[in-house]
Amino acid sequence: VAGNISNDLRTIHQTLTQLSFFYQGIFYVTGSLEYEDIPNIDLRSNEISTICSNIRNVTLLYNHVVILDGIAVVGANGWYGQKSMQSYAKQFSDIAYLGMSLERLQLHLDVTKIVIVTHSVPGPELFFGEEEIDIYDQMPPSTCLASDTMHKVTHWVFGSYNKEVDTIMNGIHYIN
């Protein structure tokens, strides 16, 4: 789930609980909607983390990498396209987290492929000319790909864009 379930904690809990009955594993990253009208991002993140840890089969991907059959799944919000000082700081933090995770996974012998999941669109080229002009002032989440020295990233799944994207660029399959 690439974010934007709700800004209501009860709805997040109910949605993830419902999904957990139907799927063996739910991988979840938060979206901008989860933080809408929330002044403290860190507090909200902790609340969502607690919710996820109490539901079977649900993994909040931030600070957790899942490895299944040689495929690592790593995720973060990304905060790309958000316009607050708090979100800019989180954006840099998420890019650093993704980059460090990719760096460590390059050396992991059991990992042959990596899937990245973000709420944010990975970069401006995936808006296909429809992005807002000021998005170029921000560092896109795809900056983390500099850490993919062994080219293990095969897929990038993302949310937050209302157009369907299913394309391959530079050997990575981007899907929303």
Side-chain angles (χ1 to χ4, degrees):
V1 178
N4 276 8
I5 292 176
S6 175
N7 68 345
D8 177 63
L9 292 174
R10 183 172 179 215
T11 301
I12 294 169
H13 183 270
Q14 289 173 334
T15 300
L16 293 173
T17 299
Q18 182 71 15
L19 288 171
S20 75
F21 285 113
F22 295 104
Y23 296 98
Q24 229 174 5
I26 309 298
F27 306 132
Y28 172 54
V29 297
T30 58
S32 54
L33 185 58
E34 281 83 345
Y35 299 96
E36 188 176 77
D37 300 323
I38 304 298
N40 189 326
I41 290 175
D42 291 330
L43 178 61
R44 175 50 63 103
S45 295
N46 288 336
E47 292 170 332
I48 292 171
S49 179
T50 299
I51 287 170
C52 291
S53 66
N54 289 318
I55 305 171
R56 67 177 186 89
N57 303 336
V58 173
T59 301
L60 182 63
L61 283 178
Y62 194 72
N63 290 328
H64 294 95
V65 175
V66 176
I67 300 173
L68 295 168
D69 299 326
I71 301 170
V73 183
V74 59
N77 180 306
W79 297 97
Y80 189 50
Q82 303 301 306
K83 297 176 177 114
S84 73
M85 290 308 292
Q86 197 175 187
S87 65
Y88 287 139
K90 291 298 180 187
Q91 179 184 22
F92 287 111
S93 176
D94 280 5
I95 292 169
Y97 166 73
L98 290 170
M100 288 185 294
S101 296
L102 291 178
E103 194 173 299
R104 282 191 303 264
L105 291 168
Q106 301 303 299
L107 304 174
H108 200 295
L109 298 177
D110 293 336
V111 174
T112 58
K113 296 178 182 181
I114 300 171
V115 175
I116 299 174
V117 181
T118 58
H119 167 67
S120 299
V121 176
E125 66 281 358
L126 291 161
F127 285 105
F128 304 100
E130 296 180 358
E131 76 282 349
E132 296 179 28
I133 224 57
D134 63 357
I135 206 147
Y136 286 110
D137 295 338
Q138 296 184 22
M139 183 182 296
S142 60
T143 307
C144 74
L145 292 173
S147 298
D148 185 29
T149 56
M150 298 179 73
H151 306 289
K152 290 186 176 185
V153 175
T154 59
H155 291 77
W156 193 311
V157 179
F158 62 97
S160 77
Y161 185 49
N162 60 1
K163 302 282 173 108
E164 185 176 315
V165 176
D166 186 348
T167 190
I168 298 173
M169 296 176 148
N170 300 317
I172 299 173
H173 193 167
Y174 294 92
I175 307 162
N176 80 325

